């Protein structure tokens, strides 16, 4: 895994009264332990990948409490785990990235929500929205509405978050409904503190296993039970939820002296609202604000009388709700209309319909609201001035900078084993023309960005091959689909390979097998070998799975051999053999590999063992500054520097010390016949007697020739 | 208006760290948070770590409230999740363009913000993958930093790191501490490094290095003056003296370097040939009142003539790769210690073109014609891996390098000299009509670079533009300024994409003046 939480796991053992200081993700995990869960599970993905990593690293601790942690193969599998709580009074929590994960889990979610639960069931979702998000921009809110689950969006304060997690389990049991709790990216990573409670041992768990199976047709999602369940959702569980929220004061009301206006915000945005008010001079550093605020820690369902009581008597209320559609704002409008309350509701308008409510958006939205409604006795001049100052500052910066600052699109890491595949694909397309490339989700998605600019469509995780079903038969030449090993195990094996085989599809699939779910932080997969450190008997090779499905044309190729990969791609794309052709492009994720090797190398060096270190370099004398090598590689350690030659103007290519010696630049240079400037240097560390003797002899021999040359007056070298 | 209770600061301190993947920005944020915790201040940090975005910029946002938990007595300030324009006390950037980006989005304001940034560059993929020079000019960022920040501490921290062997995140922490802008004692920062437990010893060294620099106790070494990379030969002094004496100061440095280069490449007599050609260019320049233009024509022609005359062939590559100073440079670049043997492997892949280039003209031309007939012949290359510091590997390169004497008798030499002649004629003719046009023609050989396919693309583009836009207009009437613009546009288009789409489009659009061919008009 990318990050180890072994050290932090100690925090999870803290008992009553002790102070916890750490990241949001860890605080949530601690809250689960304090809630007495019996099982946890999930599927990795930012921003909640680390929650999965924490579970793996705290397996020992979990085992002490008899808690089972399952590394699920997809979000659907994770959500299905909650099935345990349908019949049995055991608590469980599952986690995934949303909305993509919720999409995958939606089938199970509908069923669990319809059946209803007796054990507390919590779904922790990382709402991957806004800056730093890696997925399509949507809201998870609608899932809660359609499946009738309750959606919590906690105010980002560790104490509040931990309390709400514990409340959520109670609420789930009181309403027989799974609860979704969403955390935005920054909330997952925010540090903070809270006072701990003791961890709780669940009544039933592997320590005290369940004995009697429960048969209950009413909770089985089959008609006519489903009609009954629909009624229960609306007539019993929903009112129970409203009661619970009201009784336990899950939403928070903050008073303010300005009684003609108010703000209703999603809990997760509360701090941003407060900061905006502070900057406009309307709140102090402790959050005491002039404007009353209703902070919705539960964003679905809304408590009607709470909303009515807050709005009644006010001229205007601002609804701060991120994303589109504006369900909450619309809902408040309709609640007030039915109650005949004439308070003006403002939301989208001063705030944009699309996009994250970052600080500047928040500030301008709040200012726009206040300038529009003109609260009684409020001096608007400083508010307008604060906004104008920001615009002025940015305009001045733009003028001084002269041109937009160059963007830094993400790309493959230094030494990444997937990059060479796209170098080879670029070269193969030079040979046989451009082909349609159905991309997939994973690190390899970066191929669509500079310098490769490669990939024509992408529709979801593991769906690269499935998305070719309509293209391959309708395209004049063979098409290529990409799939990572993560996507393969997630669903690609059935949706992609199963579908293509069953339908006799004639196309090429490249499986990028780097051995981990790398983009999410190098979590293990069924096919992970981790350089041989995983027990061979437990490894499920991709090749075997393909054979099992009847794939005939399977080729395995080490990714760094660009010329061979290019030839193989050409063959796959032009062979007369029909059917699915799969190239398994294999090589271990470089981040994982380096993390594994670095300590071993350090140990060997310290022990005085002979270790070869390989690095690549570029001769600045012979490089002419065309950078074709960079366009075919894009390695972060392959960069440029101002030309040291006084006559040449174009920057020369250079290799930075971060080079891990993967050899791609040399391979590309060779395969594309670029330039003789690349060299490989093998540095012999802790050289033996033999090495030193050979080196001395070589230097001597070469020195004689070099001496002959300068004696002949051909060149006496620089600086003489 | 809301006011904070008496005796408490009215706002939190807000810091943002923006760094690039792999620079340890997260560790730096962690140190700052730990140091604030050591001081018993409320502190919060959050980040967009970009788990999936390996090479992009990452930002870490920190807030702290400079009142101890004891004094707060249970109160807690509300801290924000986002950095806010107009609200930042400190912006810390590990690279120059990230400082530019922070200013671009309004994070640096004159009334409040201390900007700490390293002035070195980590080039973006768009800058790196350009076919020519598209590096962003950092000067504007420095000027903006001066104007937009309350205080700025900018220097090349990467160089300081190289000089002292420390990591940049630790240096940044030292600079933060040394700035005195945060209410945290340097000892607390050091303690934070120890508590974090990540390579504490080297990081404390880095911290102290940054601290010492800000306090003025440590200076950056001046970068060594770049001397010419080309050596000196017998009988060369006369040529160098002539270059310095006969050419105006604006062009003399370039011409002198040009002499060094071509002599190093071939011989002193080749250097004389260079100077003779340049003398003719200087005459034309003077006649065109080049004095008022800083003799730009002479300078630019001097640059590209020297580069063209020292074109890269296999003899040259073998020569450069077998020099003793090259091996020393490689050892330095790869960070080999003195006692560590280094084995260097070259990736060479000559094709028929490279072999033809060292044959006599008639034979070379025949081989090239034969090669051009079939695709496989054009694509055929001999892949060679040469171990330069094995004796036999070196011997092969050394033997090849010894073929210098043969070079003037080769096919490629003849071709290049003919090309040079046509180019010099054109720019001389043009200088009589329009100075800018002549300068543009002088700069055109910038397209001729690279090896193999790259070289073929470059020279093909050169010839397309030269034949279409330079040669036909050099000696004839027409709007010279317009023609100069067209040439410049074409040169830029040739560097826009590898497939030559931009150039195709441009040459398709440009009206090539209906003129008689050169020869016919003379």
């Amino acid at each position: 895994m990318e990050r180890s939480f072994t050290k932090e796991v100690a925090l999870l053992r803290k008992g009553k009264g002790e102070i916890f200081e750490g990241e949001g993700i860890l605080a949530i995990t601690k809250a689960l332990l304090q809630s007495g869960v019996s099982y946890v599970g999930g599927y990795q993905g930012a921003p909640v990948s680390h929650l999965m990593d924490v579970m793996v690293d705290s397996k020992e601790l979990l085992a002490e409490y008899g808690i089972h942690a399952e590394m699920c193969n997809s979000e659907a599998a994770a959500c299905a785990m909650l099935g345990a709580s349908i019949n049995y009074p055991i608590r469980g929590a599952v986690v995934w990235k949303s909305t993509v994960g919720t999409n995958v889990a939606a089938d199970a979610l509908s069923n669990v929500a319809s059946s209803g639960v007796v054990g507390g069931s919590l779904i922790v979702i990382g709402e991957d929205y806004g800056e730093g998000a890696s997925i399509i921009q949507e809201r998870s809110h609608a899932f809660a509405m359609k499946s009738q689950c309750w959606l919590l969006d906690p105010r980002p304060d560790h104490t509040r978050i931990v309390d709400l997690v514990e409340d959520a389990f109670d609420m789930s049991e009181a309403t027989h409904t799974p609860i979704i709790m969403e955390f935005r990216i920054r909330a997952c990573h925010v540090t903070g503190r809270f006072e701990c409670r003791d961890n709780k041992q669940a009544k039933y768990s592997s320590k005290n296993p369940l004995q009697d199976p429960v048969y209950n047709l009413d909770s089985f999602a089959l008609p006519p039970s489903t009609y009954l369940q629909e009624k229960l959702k609306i007539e019993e569980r929903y009112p129970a939820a409203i009661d619970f929220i009201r009784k336990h004061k899950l939403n928070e009301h903050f008073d303010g002296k300005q009684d003609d206006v108010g703000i209703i915000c999603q809990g997760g945005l509360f701090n941003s609202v407060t900061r905006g008010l502070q900057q406009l001079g309307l709140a102090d550093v402790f959050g005491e604000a002039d404007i009353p605020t209703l902070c919705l820690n539960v964003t679905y369902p809304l408590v009607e009388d709470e909303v009515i009581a807050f709005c009644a008597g006010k001229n205007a209320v601002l609804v701060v709700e991120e994303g589109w559609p504006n369900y909450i704002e619309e809902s408040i409008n309709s609640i007030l209309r039915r109650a005949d309350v004439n308070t003006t509701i403002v939301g989208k308008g001063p705030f944009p319909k699309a996009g994250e409510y970052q600080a500047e958006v928040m500030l301008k939205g709040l200012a726009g609201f206040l300038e529009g409604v003109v609260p009684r006795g409020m001096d608007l001049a400083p508010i307008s001035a604060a906004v104008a100052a920001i615009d002025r500052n940015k305009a001045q910066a733009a003028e001084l900078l002269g041109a937009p600052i160059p963007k830094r699109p993400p790309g493959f890491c230094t030494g990444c084993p997937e990059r060479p595949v796209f170098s080879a694909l670029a070269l193969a397309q030079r040979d046989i023309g451009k082909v349609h490339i159905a991309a997939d989700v994973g690190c390899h998605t970066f191929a669509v960005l500079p310098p490769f600019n490669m990939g024509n469509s992408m529709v979801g995780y593991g769906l690269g091959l499935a998305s070719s079903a309509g293209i391959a038969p309708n395209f004049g030449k063979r098409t290529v689909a990409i799939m990572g090993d993560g996507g393969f195990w997630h669903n690609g094996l059935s949706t992609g390979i199963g579908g293509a085989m069953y339908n006799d599809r004639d196309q090429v699939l490249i499986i990028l097998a780097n051995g981990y779910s790398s983009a999410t932080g190098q979590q293990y997969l069924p096919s992970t070998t981790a350089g041989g450190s995983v027990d061979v008997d437990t490894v499920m090779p991709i090749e075997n799975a393909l054979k099992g499905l009847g794939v005939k044309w399977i080729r395995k190729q080490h990714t760094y051999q660009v010329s061979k990969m290019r030839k193989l791609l050409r063959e796959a794309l032009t062979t007369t053999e029909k059917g699915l052709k799969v190239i398994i492009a294999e090589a271990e994720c470089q981040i994982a590999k380096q993390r594994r090797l670095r300590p071993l190398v350090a140990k060997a060096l310290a022990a005085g063992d002979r270790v070869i270190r390989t690095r690549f370099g570029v001769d600045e004398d012979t490089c002419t500054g065309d950078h074709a090598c960079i366009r075919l590689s894009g390695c972060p350690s392959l960069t440029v520097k101002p030309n040291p030659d006084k006559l040449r103007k174009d920057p020369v290519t250079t290799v930075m010390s971060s080079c891990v010696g993967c050899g791609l630049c040399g391979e590309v240079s060779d395969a594309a016949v670029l330039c003789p400037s690349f060299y490989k240097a093998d540095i012999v560390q802790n050289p033996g007697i033999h090495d030193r003797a050979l080196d001395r002899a070589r230097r001597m021999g070469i020195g004689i020739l070099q001496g002959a040359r300068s004696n002949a007056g051909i060149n006496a070298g620089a600086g003489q | 208006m809301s006011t904070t209770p008496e005796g408490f600061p009215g706002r939190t301190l807000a810091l943002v760290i923006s760094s690039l993947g792999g620079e340890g920005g997260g560790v730096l944020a962690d140190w700052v948070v730990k140091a604030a915790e050591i001081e018993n201040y409320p502190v919060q940090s959050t980040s967009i770590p970009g788990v999936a975005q390996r090479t992009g910029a990452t930002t870490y946002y920190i807030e702290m409230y400079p009142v101890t938990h004891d004094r707060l007595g249970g109160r807690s300030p509300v801290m924000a999740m986002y950095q806010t324009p107009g609200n930042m006390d400190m912006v810390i950037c590990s690279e120059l363009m990230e400082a530019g980006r922070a200013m671009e989005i309004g994070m640096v304001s004159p009334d409040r913000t201390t900007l700490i940034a390293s002035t070195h560059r980590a080039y973006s993929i768009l800058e790196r993958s350009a076919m020519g020079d598209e590096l962003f000019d950092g000067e504007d960022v420095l000027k903006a930093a001066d104007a937009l920040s309350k205080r700025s501490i900018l220097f090349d921290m990467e160089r300081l790191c190289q000089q002292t062997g420390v990591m940049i995140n630790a240096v940044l922490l030292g600079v933060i501490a040394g700035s005195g802008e945060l209410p945290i004692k340097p000892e607390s920062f050091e303690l934070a490094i120890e508590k974090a437990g990540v390579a504490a010893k080297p990081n404390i060294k880095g911290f102290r290095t940054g601290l010492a620099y800000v306090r003025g106790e440590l200076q950056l070494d001046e970068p060594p003056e770049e001397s010419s990379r080309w050596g000196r030969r017998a009988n060369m002094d006369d040529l160098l003296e002539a270059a310095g004496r006969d050419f105006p100061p604006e062009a003399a440095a370039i011409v002198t370097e040009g002499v060094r280069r071509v002599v190093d490449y071939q011989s002193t007599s080749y250097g004389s040939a260079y100077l003779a050609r340049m003398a003719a260019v200087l005459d034309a320049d003077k006649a065109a009142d080049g004095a008022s233009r800083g003799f730009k024509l002479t300078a630019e022609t001097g640059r590209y003539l020297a580069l063209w005359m020292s074109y890269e062939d296999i003899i040259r590559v073998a020569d450069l790769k077998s020099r003793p100073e090259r091996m020393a440079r490689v050892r330095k670049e790869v960070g080999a210690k003195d006692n560590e043997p280094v084995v260097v492997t070259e990736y060479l892949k000559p094709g028929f073109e490279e072999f033809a280039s060292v044959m006599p003209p008639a034979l070379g031309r025949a081989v090239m014609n034969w090669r051009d007939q079939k695709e496989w012949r054009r694509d055929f290359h001999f892949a060679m891996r040469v171990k330069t510091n094995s004796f036999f590997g070196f011997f092969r390169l050394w033997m090849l390098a010894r073929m210098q004497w043969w070079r003037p008798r080769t096919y490629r030499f003849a071709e290049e000299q003919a090309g040079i002649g046509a180019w010099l004629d054109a720019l001389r003719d043009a200088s009589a009509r329009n100075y800018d046009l002549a300068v543009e023609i002088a700069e055109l050989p910038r397209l001729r670079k690279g090896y193999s396919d790259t070289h073929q693309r470059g020279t093909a583009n050169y010839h397309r533009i030269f034949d279409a836009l330079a040669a036909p207009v050099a000696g004839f009437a027409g709007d010279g300024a317009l023609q100069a613009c067209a040439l410049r546009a074409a040169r830029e288009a040739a560097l826009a994409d590898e497939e030559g789409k931009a150039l195709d489009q441009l040459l398709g659009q440009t009206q090539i003046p209906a003129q008689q061919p050169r020869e016919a008009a003379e």
Side-chain angles (χ1 to χ4, degrees), chain B residues 146-475:
Chain B
D146 213 32
L148 291 173
S149 64
K150 186 182 86 181
R151 178 182 172 196
S152 62
I153 306 175
L154 309 172
F155 65 97
D156 189 339
M157 297 182 199
E158 192 185 57
R159 203 142 60 77
L160 186 66
C161 287
Q162 285 163 355
Q163 190 177 311
T164 55
V166 297
M167 291 288 291
I168 195 162
N169 57 350
V171 169
L172 280 164
L173 191 73
V175 177
I176 293 169
S179 75
E181 301 283 343
L182 293 182
I184 297 176
K185 296 183 286 295
E187 303 83 72
S188 301
F189 282 113
E190 284 204 11
L191 193 56
I193 296 177
E194 271 167 28
K195 275 189 135 182
V198 183
K201 227 173 119 187
N203 281 325
I204 284 178
K205 184 185 168 199
F207 171 78
R208 289 183 183 161
T209 304
L211 192 66
Y213 182 87
V214 176
R215 289 177 172 169
E217 296 158 9
L218 180 73
Q219 259 82 43
L220 270 178
D221 295 341
E222 282 303 311
E225 184 73 19
E226 279 282 328
S227 57
S228 173
R229 56 206 302 105
W230 312 118
R232 204 171 256 276
R233 272 195 225 202
N235 311 324
M236 188 179 175
D237 292 349
D238 293 348
L239 295 179
L240 290 177
E241 200 192 311
R245 183 189 58 224
D246 299 345
F247 287 84
E250 296 95 323
I254 286 182
V255 175
T256 307
E257 180 67 10
V259 169
R260 285 178 182 278
R261 174 181 266 273
V262 296
V263 170
D264 176 88
Y265 179 79
Q266 188 61 35
S267 61
T268 34
S269 63
Y270 200 47
S272 309
Y274 169 76
L275 269 188
R277 279 168 163 162
M278 282 313 298
V281 173
L282 181 61
D283 287 344
D285 200 352
K286 280 180 179 156
D289 189 25
S292 69
R293 306 289 302 269
F295 290 103
K296 198 169 175 205
L297 179 61
T298 306
E300 289 310 302
T301 311
R303 175 191 310 280
Y304 291 107
L305 178 61
L307 290 172
W308 197 341
M309 286 177 71
S310 61
Y311 64 88
E312 285 81 17
D313 58 6
I314 50 177
I315 301 172
R316 175 68 166 170
V317 170
D319 181 14
L320 290 173
K321 281 193 181 267
S322 57
R323 295 185 179 190
E325 62 268 23
R326 185 252 176 172
M327 204 49 76
R329 192 177 62 229
V330 167
R331 292 190 64 89
K332 189 165 162 250
E333 260 187 33
V334 302
K337 294 190 194 114
D338 287 342
N339 68 333
E340 293 176 341
V342 174
V343 180
V344 175
T345 309
E346 317 287 351
Y347 289 72
L348 306 177
K349 209 170 185 184
F352 290 121
E353 188 193 4
E354 280 71 27
F355 294 110
S357 72
V358 288
M359 292 172 183
L363 185 59
R365 197 164 296 124
V367 169
M368 284 304 282
N369 286 336
W370 171 80
R371 163 196 180 267
D372 287 342
Q373 284 162 9
K374 287 268 161 52
E375 200 179 321
W376 75 265
R377 292 175 195 158
R378 278 198 297 273
D379 291 344
F380 188 81
H381 295 94
F382 301 94
M384 291 158 61
R385 297 276 202 277
V386 180
K387 276 195 182 152
T388 316
N389 44 3
S390 73
F391 191 77
F392 292 104
F394 182 84
F395 189 70
R396 278 151 83 186
L397 290 180
W398 185 83
M399 284 296 289
L400 210 51
R402 298 288 68 69
M403 286 176 64
Q404 264 180 7
W405 63 273
W406 168 253
R407 184 187 275 136
R409 295 158 185 85
T410 62
Y411 161 67
R412 173 114 185 243
F413 189 87
E415 292 280 303
E416 300 291 3
Q417 300 308 322
I420 289 170
W423 168 62
L424 288 175
D425 285 348
L427 69 88
R428 262 201 312 272
D429 290 349
S431 72
R433 287 188 43 223
N434 182 294
Y435 198 83
D436 290 331
L437 180 63
V439 172
E440 282 302 328
I441 295 174
E443 286 205 46
L444 200 54
R446 188 170 178 179
L447 299 178
R448 305 178 65 102
K449 56 182 178 180
Y451 302 82
S452 302
D453 289 356
T454 311
H455 179 251
Q456 282 170 36
R457 164 170 40 80
T459 46
N461 285 343
Y462 171 86
H463 282 297
R464 280 183 73 187
I465 300 173
F466 186 80
D467 295 348
L469 297 175
V473 300

Side-chain angles (χ1 to χ4, degrees), chain A residues 547-565:
Chain A
K547 283 182 187 156
L549 264 66
V551 183
K552 300 268 179 323
W553 200 103
I554 303 171
R555 304 282 188 276
K556 281 210 296 197
Q557 176 60 49
H558 192 64
T559 65
Y560 294 101
Q561 292 164 323
V562 174
S563 291
K564 284 190 179 162
M565 185 67 83

Side-chain angles (χ1 to χ4, degrees), chain A residues 2 622 631 645 648 715, chain B residues 54 261 264 312 451 498:
Chain A
E2 182 160 60
T622 54
R631 289 190 293 278
D645 190 309
R648 289 195 199 274
N715 187 287
Chain B
R54 302 285 173 202
R261 174 181 266 273
D264 176 88
E312 285 81 17
Y451 302 82
E498 274 190 37

Side-chain angles (χ1 to χ4, degrees), chain A residues 622-637:
Chain A
T622 54
C623 171
T624 57
D626 174 75
H627 317 136
C629 48
I630 294 176
R631 289 190 293 278
L632 275 170
S633 152
C635 178
S637 69

Side-chain angles (χ1 to χ4, degrees), chain A residues 389-401, chain B residues 103-104 148:
Chain A
I390 290 173
D391 290 338
R392 214 168 36 239
N393 177 273
K394 280 166 82 170
Q396 196 190 350
E399 198 190 313
L400 287 165
L401 292 170
Chain B
M103 290 187 274
E104 194 174 41
L148 291 173

